[in-house]
Amino acid sequence: MTPQASSPHSPSARFRLPEFACLLLFAGLSLYGLMHHELWRDETQAWLIVRESHSLAQLLENIRYDGHPALWFMALFALPDIQQGFLPAQVLHYLIALASAALLLFCSPFSRLERCLLLFGYFMLYEYTVIARNYGAGALLLWAFCLSFRYLPRNAWLPGLVLGVLANTSMMGCLVAIAGVLALGTAALSGAWTIRARASLATGLVVAAAGILAAAITMAPPADLAFGRGWLFSFDADRLTMVRNGFARAWFPLMNPELHFWDQWSIPYKLKLLLLGGALGMAGLFAWRLAPVRHAQMFFVAGIGGLLVFFYCGYPGYIRHHGFLFLVLVGAWWLYRQAAPPATTQTASGEQWMRRAFVGLLAVQAVAGVTAIGLERRYLFSGSAEVADYIRTTAPELPLSGYPDYIVGPVLAQLNDRPQAYFLNGSRWGSFIRWDRQRAEPEPMPTETMETRLCAFAAAERRNVLVVLSLDAPLPAPRCGRLHLRMHTPEAVVGNEAYALYELAYDAASGVPFTQASQ
């Protein structure tokens, strides 16, 4: 069935006071969460790459080890004053989230209750708004793709253009874009389109294919990549459990109100099974009942299937990745409702069940979203900002080193006067993390190795140096001097971003190994 331009939920009918009030509340609540959010390594990694890239060619070279397409990096690269700090990136991401919320409120075919619940759901309110990553842009472009179906077949090139851009937001965005191409082709085959409309569609599909190809090229791993290589094509019970839990959590992101609410899913096992059963039941219901609108059904089946295959065979991911399973559900339901299929007794009954299940799901999402904002306020997300503030005010002149490199990066990102730090794994200076074989060493690093590299670094600097470690890391005892604890942070939501900062008092003449007890 081809989507129609007319709809009982036209954009012109949506500019009402309740919608504006809902958007204003969303903006305020998400800004409140953002103001209490401490940056963590995945946010600062992209910014550090951009900061160290002085040309577009250098940027494209630097992102080769990161596994993401180029769109988010290029958007940051284009920002003014990006060298001065992360704030411009957060402002950009916040504006993207507001645009995404506006599309849902004023352009989607859902009821007012559904639209408001969607806005305050976990992914829209927290994961893809407060945490500044490339995934928020993927949500915005997915809603734009769904909206563009309203203008078929007259402007058949438009969905293809949006899909081409969507593919370059993330790997998940690329997989969703492929599902969108299949949905677009299904819509064309299901409708009586003119030759001109089909030519317009062909143009859009070429643009989409070019975008998907560009994403694949930029995500292609270099030969010496040492992270996330290889595919799994055999049965693995642990991987299956991870994918199963990710699928359930994406649709029902319930959480315990505790410190590690975000990086761990620490709810009872029986409840996980119950939520998995609910997610599978809803998936089956929607896959079956979306059949009257074939392009919506194709988008749902191809999107969910493609993501699950990737999570099992490629990278199992975390909740930020699994959230696209929920976005696909919303997108497919949007396409279905927007097409307004002819009602029959059978389809009306099935649609009522789908509406009830969808509202129940959104209610769970909204509870999780508001809870996450409250927990963001209660707990320290990352200790990196506290460490950076301490260094800036008490030891701005001392060279910085640390282990592992991925916890040093977010500290360095918040010290604008320090372009680089010395990473003990890999034994090199750097800012962003280059996931190559040079840094691919067994973790945790043996203390003897760490002691040797610390002394080599201090000897090269010929003075005291700062050492950043995880709070729970084993304390080395270098022969070249004493380690003094300067400060430590409380425990953090990101477990290994609770920090201890030491100063190595370098003594070139010393040959006596100092231990923790002697400090």
Side-chain angles (χ1 to χ4, degrees):
M1 178 177 296
T2 302
Q4 303 297 319
S6 61
S7 169
H9 304 279
S10 61
S12 60
R14 285 291 170 77
F15 288 90
R16 303 168 184 166
L17 183 59
E19 277 76 13
F20 279 110
C22 189
L23 182 60
L24 185 61
L25 182 59
F26 170 84
L29 192 56
S30 58
L31 182 60
Y32 176 81
L34 184 60
M35 291 173 63
H36 291 92
H37 175 70
E38 295 84 19
L39 300 174
W40 79 296
R41 57 180 174 266
D42 278 13
E43 293 175 279
T44 60
Q45 169 76 350
W47 180 79
L48 286 168
I49 288 176
V50 170
R51 192 180 75 171
E52 294 299 304
S53 302
H54 304 293
S55 67
L56 188 58
Q58 188 178 13
L59 175 67
L60 294 176
E61 173 64 24
N62 287 339
I63 68 173
R64 292 173 62 238
Y65 293 88
D66 222 52
H68 292 288
L71 184 63
W72 178 241
F73 300 95
M74 295 178 70
L76 297 184
F77 188 78
L79 288 175
D81 298 326
I82 192 64
Q83 301 289 336
Q84 303 305 314
F86 195 76
L87 181 61
Q90 289 182 298
V91 171
L92 173 64
H93 190 265
Y94 182 66
L95 293 176
I96 289 172
L98 291 182
S100 184
L103 276 184
L104 278 176
L105 271 177
F106 300 117
C107 301
S108 70
F110 305 126
S111 69
R112 179 175 290 165
L113 174 63
E114 290 169 327
R115 285 179 277 130
C116 290
L117 288 175
L118 260 172
L119 239 63
F120 294 100
Y122 174 80
F123 293 102
M124 288 301 299
L125 181 63
Y126 183 71
E127 188 71 42
Y128 298 150
T129 298
V130 172
I131 302 175
R133 297 288 311 279
N134 48 328
Y135 307 122
L140 171 63
L141 289 164
L142 175 55
W143 310 148
F145 165 70
C146 294
L147 178 62
S148 69
F149 257 75
R150 179 178 292 163
Y151 305 103
L152 295 182
R154 183 182 57 189
N155 295 310
W157 57 271
L158 184 57
L161 174 62
V162 177
L163 291 175
V165 182
L166 171 60
N168 286 274
T169 58
S170 67
M171 180 64 190
M172 283 66 63
C174 189
L175 293 172
V176 172
I178 293 172
V181 168
L182 296 175
L184 192 56
T186 302
L189 294 175
S190 303
W193 287 24
T194 65
I195 295 178
R196 183 175 180 178
R198 293 186 185 277
S200 178
L201 172 66
T203 301
L205 291 178
V206 168
V207 173
I212 293 170
L213 179 61
I217 291 174
T218 53
M219 289 188 294
D224 61 338
L225 180 69
F227 175 79
R229 294 190 68 93
W231 291 80
L232 177 65
F233 296 109
S234 59
F235 178 75
D236 186 292
D238 292 337
R239 179 66 64 87
L240 184 62
T241 298
M242 295 172 70
V243 175
R244 179 193 71 191
N245 289 343
F247 179 58
R249 192 183 183 192
W251 287 19
F252 300 102
L254 296 178
M255 61 193 73
N256 280 335
E258 59 184 16
L259 176 65
H260 297 295
F261 72 94
W262 180 75
D263 60 341
Q264 299 176 13
W265 200 31
S266 55
I267 64 174
Y269 177 72
K270 290 184 178 180
L271 181 56
K272 289 182 181 179
L273 291 181
L274 180 63
L275 296 179
L276 176 63
L280 291 174
M282 280 195 64
L285 174 66
F286 274 77
W288 174 34
R289 290 296 188 177
L290 288 172
V293 181
R294 293 182 180 178
H295 63 269
Q297 185 184 48
M298 173 60 74
F299 180 74
F300 181 77
V301 173
I304 295 292
L307 288 168
L308 289 177
V309 168
F310 172 70
F311 293 145
Y312 182 84
C313 298
Y315 181 63
Y318 298 90
I319 190 169
R320 53 193 176 275
H321 310 108
H322 303 149
F324 279 78
L325 294 164
F326 174 73
L327 298 187
V328 167
L329 168 66
V330 177
W333 191 223
W334 181 325
L335 294 175
Y336 179 93
R337 298 273 287 274
Q338 188 168 256
T344 65
T345 303
Q346 183 179 8
T347 59
S349 175
E351 187 170 319
Q352 284 300 318
W353 277 105
M354 293 164 71
R355 287 174 183 263
R356 291 167 184 164
F358 189 63
V359 170
L361 174 65
L362 296 185
V364 174
Q365 288 272 343
V367 170
V370 175
T371 301
I373 293 293
L375 295 175
E376 179 71 57
R377 170 66 180 86
R378 180 186 302 177
Y379 296 116
L380 182 73
F381 198 83
S382 167
S384 58
E386 291 190 8
V387 177
D389 288 342
Y390 182 88
I391 293 174
R392 187 182 301 111
T393 56
T394 65
E397 76 289 350
L398 294 182
L400 180 63
S401 65
Y403 173 84
D405 49 7
Y406 53 75
I407 74 164
V408 184
V411 175
L412 187 64
Q414 296 170 85
L415 293 169
N416 293 333
D417 57 337
R418 289 175 183 258
Q420 293 188 326
Y422 187 77
F423 298 147
L424 296 180
N425 49 326
S427 301
R428 63 186 175 192
W429 288 89
S431 55
F432 62 90
I433 313 308
R434 190 181 296 272
W435 303 95
D436 57 13
R437 291 175 183 167
Q438 183 175 338
R439 68 166 302 282
E441 301 172 321
E443 292 190 20
M445 178 183 292
T447 54
E448 296 82 1
T449 303
M450 189 181 301
E451 292 161 5
T452 300
R453 294 181 181 180
L454 270 177
C455 288
F457 173 59
E461 294 295 319
R462 297 181 179 275
R463 54 176 167 166
N464 293 2
V465 297
L466 296 176
V467 185
V468 173
L469 298 174
S470 290
L471 190 60
D472 58 354
L475 186 63
R479 298 175 61 90
C480 58
R482 297 174 181 267
L483 275 179
H484 301 282
L485 177 65
R486 296 289 299 263
M487 62 88 67
H488 67 84
T489 69
E491 289 187 299
V493 173
V494 183
N496 53 15
E497 290 193 21
Y499 290 86
L501 177 67
Y502 296 90
E503 180 179 346
L504 173 59
Y506 176 61
D507 179 8
S510 175
V512 181
F514 291 90
T515 64
Q516 185 176 9
S518 66
Q519 294 182 36

